[in-house]
Amino acid sequence: MRFVHAGDFHIGATPESGRQWGKERAISVAGALGRIVDLCNSEKADLLLIPGDLFNAPPLTKELKEAAYSFSRLENTRVVIIAGNHDYLSEDCAYGSFDLGENVFLLSSESFSSVYFEDINTEVHGLSYHKKEIREPLYDELTAPTDDRIHVLLAHGGDSLHVPIKYSQLAKSGFDYIALGHIHQPKLFKGTHMAYCGSPEPLDRTDIGARGCFVGEVTKSTFTIMWRPLAKTQYRLLEINSDITLTQAALEECVKEELAAHPSDLIVVLLEGSRDPAYTVDTEAVLQLGRVVEVIDSTNPEYDLEQLLADHDGDIISYYINMLDTPDKTPEMKKALYFGLSALLGD
Ligand SMILES: [Mn+2]
């Protein structure tokens, strides 16, 4: 059985909506399902597994119609879906009863149900959220039936408010594949048949790195899986380790190089290390350089502590330095030292 595992599309989400690339991001998120359908066709996938949060909220009828159109373009692929915590099956939402196509199977029950496809000898199991939170660990005691069918589980959750999961236990549940959703970072659990697909497009600037889906093939005795990048855009973290020599011009040069090397990406600049106390990073100027979504300045001013002690013998500044500049100082103490000195010196 060949499958594509993609979830957490969050159709309807509009990341970075206030920024100049907000419209582009909204289009990428809305178009991800179409690109997954193309992949299913080129891969001749038997099943498209969507473990929840296809939509960003209980979907509107127009969003269901758009999804149904995308699914209608599938040539050989049937779709199995569960509803997640974002697109939970609320009473006033059409999702649970909407006809998404004869090749689409929403496991809409709040308790476990399954759909069996005889031609590929595969049974897909799962349950849907009917509310925003499920705090019970519903998957921990689960075991797959012991028959000749290929058994696949769709599961959504993994934090304390959304079905906490004991992964080592779930991995031993006997399913031939466990398609996880909810966490937007892709993760293949080594040595198991279990993965989070992540979202096909990043949904937040904290979603650093490539996004896509998994393509795999499973039989009762074999298992292969491959990661496929698919996102139009990725958030890229540019970590700059600064020291006392850093200047604004050098910083901007570094960011410009990164922007030129990755013109379709969005850059988060993280400045770490130390800087000249006389230099304050002009984060606004860096944001103006192009597709920079955020500048995080975590640098500390590099004070010459010996010189300060000599200049401030006996006053509060030397007292403060002696209190915090101990050989066993923690990173927090180091930060407190810099912040306090910055305040005391009026920088
Ligand atoms: Mn979720």
Side-chain angles (χ1 to χ4, degrees):
M1 186 276 285
R2 283 180 70 72
F3 67 85
V4 169
H5 168 198
D8 290 281
F9 291 77
H10 286 264
I11 292 170
T14 55
E16 310 275 341
S17 59
R19 308 293 291 273
Q20 66 197 85
W21 45 80
K23 184 67 184 167
E24 170 202 312
R25 297 273 21 249
I27 291 169
S28 299
V29 171
L33 181 59
R35 279 178 276 133
I36 291 284
V37 164
D38 294 338
L39 179 71
C40 289
N41 287 341
S42 64
E43 288 291 327
K44 301 198 184 333
D46 297 301
L47 292 179
L48 168 57
L49 306 169
I50 303 182
D53 289 354
L54 173 59
F55 303 99
N56 195 42
L60 306 169
T61 303
K62 67 170 183 179
E63 291 172 323
L64 289 163
K65 278 186 179 170
E66 293 289 339
Y69 173 74
S70 291
F71 292 140
S72 75
R73 295 199 299 105
L74 286 165
E75 290 158 8
N76 316 293
T77 310
R78 281 155 294 186
V79 187
V80 190
I81 312 177
I82 55 172
N85 62 306
H86 279 267
D87 58 3
Y88 65 99
L89 301 177
S90 67
E91 275 174 25
D92 54 352
C93 176
Y95 192 9
S97 56
F98 193 87
D99 181 10
L100 287 164
E102 60 182 14
N103 58 342
V104 184
F105 303 85
L106 174 68
L107 299 175
S108 60
S109 172
E110 247 178 312
S111 49
F112 287 101
S113 65
S114 68
V115 55
Y116 175 58
F117 304 104
E118 198 175 357
D119 58 321
I120 50 173
N121 190 36
T122 299
E123 186 170 354
V124 185
H125 306 255
L127 57 82
S128 278
Y129 281 60
H130 284 226
K131 52 193 178 188
K132 287 180 187 175
E133 289 181 4
I134 300 177
R135 299 185 186 206
E136 297 78 31
L138 300 176
Y139 302 121
D140 284 355
E141 302 300 320
L142 204 60
T143 50
T146 50
D147 54 28
D148 291 341
R149 295 176 179 181
I150 295 166
H151 289 283
V152 173
L153 175 68
L154 304 187
H156 190 93
D159 64 42
S160 62
L161 301 181
H162 308 101
V163 194
I165 297 173
K166 287 199 185 97
Y167 296 104
S168 55
Q169 204 164 315
L170 185 57
K172 291 182 216 145
S173 57
F175 286 93
D176 298 291
Y177 185 56
I178 300 171
L180 293 166
H182 183 58
I183 307 295
H184 295 171
Q185 171 98 23
K187 179 175 182 174
L188 180 62
F189 291 79
K190 267 199 179 150
T192 75
H193 296 189
M194 182 166 83
Y196 276 107
C197 53
S199 52
E201 279 286 338
L203 298 160
D204 189 277
R205 66 181 61 166
T206 62
D207 290 348
I208 301 287
R211 289 294 182 275
C213 66
F214 282 107
V215 179
E217 185 155 9
V218 59
T219 69
K220 286 309 278 183
S221 56
T222 64
F223 179 71
T224 56
I225 191 162
M226 290 244 316
W227 163 250
R228 285 296 176 87
L230 195 105
K232 292 273 188 201
T233 306
Q234 70 167 285
Y235 290 93
R236 188 173 283 278
L237 186 65
L238 174 59
E239 288 177 90
I240 296 175
N241 211 334
S242 156
D243 63 23
I244 197 159
T245 65
L246 183 76
T247 62
Q248 183 71 22
L251 168 62
E252 289 183 18
E253 203 51 48
C254 186
V255 174
K256 278 184 204 162
E257 275 175 27
E258 186 76 355
L259 288 166
H262 308 283
S264 62
D265 292 345
L266 291 160
I267 310 294
V268 175
V269 179
L270 175 61
L271 268 167
E272 289 176 309
S274 56
R275 61 174 163 78
D276 189 326
Y279 166 50
T280 308
V281 180
D282 185 349
T283 54
E284 191 53 43
V286 177
L287 287 169
Q288 296 296 324
L289 292 174
R291 293 165 68 85
V292 181
V293 290
E294 191 176 7
V295 181
I296 304 162
D297 178 12
S298 294
T299 57
N300 294 309
E302 185 68 75
Y303 291 110
D304 184 341
L305 298 179
E306 273 180 33
Q307 188 61 50
L308 283 173
L309 281 172
D311 293 348
H312 293 271
D313 188 23
D315 74 11
I316 188 168
I317 288 175
S318 61
Y319 176 76
Y320 190 77
I321 293 172
N322 285 326
M323 190 173 65
L324 285 171
D325 188 29
T326 58
D328 57 347
K329 64 177 172 291
T330 62
E332 288 75 22
M333 284 167 75
K334 199 173 173 188
K335 272 225 138 79
L337 178 64
Y338 289 134
F339 287 155
L341 279 177
S342 173
L344 290 169
L345 293 163
D347 287 344

